[in-house]
Amino acid sequence: MGAYFERMPFGRAHVLIALALFMAFVIESWEQLALVYVSADLGDALALDAGRIAWVLSAVALGMIPGALVWGPVADRIGRRAVCLWSLGSYGAVALGSAFSPNFTLLMASRVLSGMALAGIYTVTFPYFLELLPVGLRGKAAVYLSIGWPIGGLAAVGVTQALSGMGWHVVAVASALAALWVFAIRAWVPESPYWLAARGRHAEARAVLLKLGADVPEGTRFAVV
């Protein structure tokens, strides 16, 4: 399999893949920081002291710890693409619900659950990204993908400043709606051909390679080394 990626040209399909997964990384960073900048309004609305506000702001990260441990093996079982779609989609649903939490307990629980959901795409983004790019670009591309994290933080600042006057609920809803990016991933990002070939799905792996610009003879059977 690696030999095809060593001589694969970089094309439009790779640009769309890179954009889709880069923005997913931006969303991950954004979600962890968005409520930081409306914490005062959040505390006033739910009558929270500084300690409870800190727990709410940490809840997503807390949820991502067990979430990463669960989603990693799941990605090896059902595939990178499926994990991205289920992770980002379920995060959006839970995060939207958290925007309407009436008290600290429900808000904390929903934020932890949204972190557990988001951990899936966080866990697989880097390997998935690299498994779809030509070998010669992978090192540089990994650096570019990492830039998505500070960009997500800056986006959180910008969006929060624009919406902060409307209350923490609106900021939380905006963060949840970012999960609609799942449709871009579904449209632009194929399954990893490494994962397909490792499971004996050689025809599907070949189809992905053809979309990525590789010249693969029909009936090829791949080895993943």
Side-chain angles (χ1 to χ4, degrees), residues 29-43 53-54 56-59 111 153 156-157 160-161 164 168 171-172 175:
S29 173
W30 175 355
E31 166 57 21
Q32 294 202 53
L33 294 174
L35 291 187
V36 171
Y37 304 105
V38 288
S39 58
D41 179 66
L42 173 64
I53 291 174
V56 169
L57 299 180
S58 304
R111 294 278 291 169
V157 174
T160 304
Q161 289 299 313
S164 59
W168 77 271
V171 173
S175 296

Side-chain angles (χ1 to χ4, degrees), residues 7-20:
R7 54 180 182 264
M8 179 184 290
F10 182 78
R12 180 176 180 273
H14 296 107
V15 173
L16 294 176
I17 289 167
L19 175 61

Side-chain angles (χ1 to χ4, degrees), residues 4 8 13 193 203-218 222:
Y4 285 100
M8 179 184 290
E204 293 173 68
R206 174 178 179 266
V208 173
L209 288 172
L210 292 175
K211 290 180 181 179
L212 296 178
D215 184 12
V216 186
E218 188 173 356
F222 303 94

Side-chain angles (χ1 to χ4, degrees), residues 5-185:
F5 280 92
E6 286 178 357
R7 54 180 182 264
M8 179 184 290
F10 182 78
R12 180 176 180 273
H14 296 107
V15 173
L16 294 176
I17 289 167
L19 175 61
L21 295 180
F22 178 84
M23 287 302 300
F25 211 52
V26 169
I27 291 168
E28 295 161 20
S29 173
W30 175 355
E31 166 57 21
Q32 294 202 53
L33 294 174
L35 291 187
V36 171
Y37 304 105
V38 288
S39 58
D41 179 66
L42 173 64
D44 292 342
L46 299 182
L48 304 180
D49 58 23
R52 288 194 169 190
I53 291 174
W55 277 109
V56 169
L57 299 180
S58 304
V60 171
L62 290 172
M64 292 180 77
I65 296 171
L69 297 174
V70 171
W71 282 110
V74 171
D76 286 336
R77 178 175 291 273
I78 69 173
R80 284 81 164 104
R81 185 171 186 266
V83 163
C84 282
L85 299 181
W86 280 104
S87 171
L88 195 52
S90 59
Y91 152 73
V94 177
L96 185 61
S98 74
F100 303 98
S101 299
N103 55 53
F104 168 76
T105 301
L106 288 177
L107 180 59
M108 184 71 188
S110 61
R111 294 278 291 169
V112 170
L113 288 175
S114 66
M116 292 179 68
L118 193 61
I121 196 166
Y122 176 82
T123 302
V124 304
T125 296
F126 263 101
Y128 191 20
F129 183 66
L130 299 180
E131 287 176 2
L132 291 169
L133 293 179
V135 170
L137 296 175
R138 289 179 182 174
K140 186 182 296 184
V143 175
Y144 291 152
L145 179 60
S146 300
I147 296 172
W149 195 262
I151 289 177
L154 293 172
V157 174
V159 172
T160 304
Q161 289 299 313
L163 301 177
S164 59
M166 302 179 187
W168 77 271
H169 298 281
V170 175
V171 173
V173 169
S175 296
L177 291 179
L180 292 173
W181 189 254
V182 70
F183 293 106
I185 296 175

